[in-house]
Amino acid sequence: MKKSYDYFKTLKEMSVAVGSAFKNMVRTNEFNAELIRFSGLKWELSNNLFNEFVAPIERNDIYNLSHCLSNEMYFISKLNNVVALVDIKDFTFIESVCNAFNMQNNVIDYFSDLKNPTRTLKYINETKATLNGVNTSVVLSIKNCLKSTEQPLLKYAVISGFFDIYKSIDETFSEIQRVVINNN
C-alpha cells in the first residue's frame, strides 16, 4: 500500500489531530486549531491520492479510512457545541474517551506495519474488547454526571454525542480490519 507519499503517516497524524481536538474541546473549549490541522491533513491526503498512481482498491481503502476519521472529527465538533452549555470538568468519563483515542492511534501504528496482519488483527480485536468494556463504565459515568441537570434535551444531546464518538471509533477499527483482511 505504501507509495512515494506516506499515507500511513498522514492517517496517523489525522488520528492524532482527532484525539487532540477532543482533548482541547474538553479542557479548553478551543479546538479550532486541531480542526484546521485535521482539514489540512485530509486535503493533503486527498490531493496526493489524486496526483499519484495508486491502485483503485488501495485508493478506496485510504479514502474510506480518512472518511472514518472525518466522521470522528464531525462528531467531536457537534459535541463541542453542546458541551459549551454544560460544565464537564467533573465528568469522570472524559479520560476514558481520551484513552479510546490513544488506542486508536496504537491501532493505526499496528496497521501501518502490514508485514504481520495476524498480529494487527489480534491487536484490533483486543482493543475493541477493551473499548466495549470501557463503554459500560462510560454509560454509568455519564448517567451519574448528568443526573444533576434538569434539561432532558441537553442530557440526551451530551449522551448521544459521546456515544456517536465511540461508535465512529469502532467503525474506524472495523474499516481497518476490513482493509487488513482484504489485503491478505
Side-chain angles (χ1 to χ4, degrees):
M1 202 183 216
K2 279 196 174 187
K3 305 294 177 203
S4 62
Y5 176 75
D6 193 348
Y7 294 100
F8 290 118
K9 180 179 176 239
T10 303
L11 287 170
K12 168 71 178 198
E13 288 175 7
M14 289 170 68
S15 176
V16 169
V18 169
S20 294
F22 178 80
K23 289 173 187 169
N24 287 335
M25 175 196 70
V26 298
R27 293 203 176 110
T28 64
N29 211 14
E30 295 178 12
F31 71 106
N32 290 335
E34 291 300 330
L35 183 62
I36 291 167
R37 184 172 144 229
F38 177 85
S39 298
L41 289 166
K42 180 149 187 190
W43 179 87
E44 179 184 353
L45 184 116
S46 298
N47 189 45
N48 281 295
L49 275 174
F50 179 76
N51 290 328
E52 274 193 9
F53 175 76
V54 180
I57 293 170
E58 292 174 350
R59 181 183 308 272
N60 194 38
D61 291 341
I62 295 166
Y63 176 77
N64 287 342
L65 286 168
S66 72
H67 181 70
C68 287
L69 294 171
S70 291
N71 283 344
E72 291 177 20
M73 186 61 86
Y74 167 75
F75 288 125
I76 291 169
S77 182
K78 185 174 154 184
L79 181 62
N80 185 57
N81 296 330
V82 177
V83 166
L85 303 173
V86 181
D87 184 19
I88 63 167
K89 291 175 188 157
D90 300 326
F91 287 10
T92 58
F93 58 84
I94 298 301
E95 203 56 43
S96 296
V97 178
C98 290
N99 288 337
F101 284 113
N102 291 336
M103 286 187 263
Q104 175 175 280
N105 293 338
N106 292 337
V107 165
I108 290 178
D109 280 341
Y110 271 93
F111 172 62
S112 65
D113 180 24
L114 284 176
K115 295 174 191 138
N116 195 341
T118 306
R119 186 180 72 172
T120 303
L121 290 173
K122 181 180 178 208
Y123 185 75
I124 291 171
N125 288 331
E126 289 170 2
T127 304
K128 285 179 91 171
T130 303
L131 192 62
N132 289 336
V134 168
N135 227 347
T136 305
S137 66
V138 168
V139 171
L140 296 172
S141 228
I142 289 174
K143 285 172 72 176
N144 290 337
C145 290
L146 293 176
K147 279 182 182 175
S148 60
T149 183
E150 299 298 321
Q151 302 173 11
L153 289 177
L154 182 60
K155 182 186 290 189
Y156 173 77
V158 172
I159 290 172
S160 67
F162 279 99
F163 285 117
D164 284 343
I165 291 170
Y166 261 82
K167 180 181 168 197
S168 64
I169 291 172
D170 190 52
E171 288 171 358
T172 302
F173 290 164
S174 297
E175 183 61 24
I176 291 171
Q177 277 180 313
R178 186 195 65 73
V179 170
V180 171
I181 290 169
N182 286 349
N183 284 318
N184 291 313

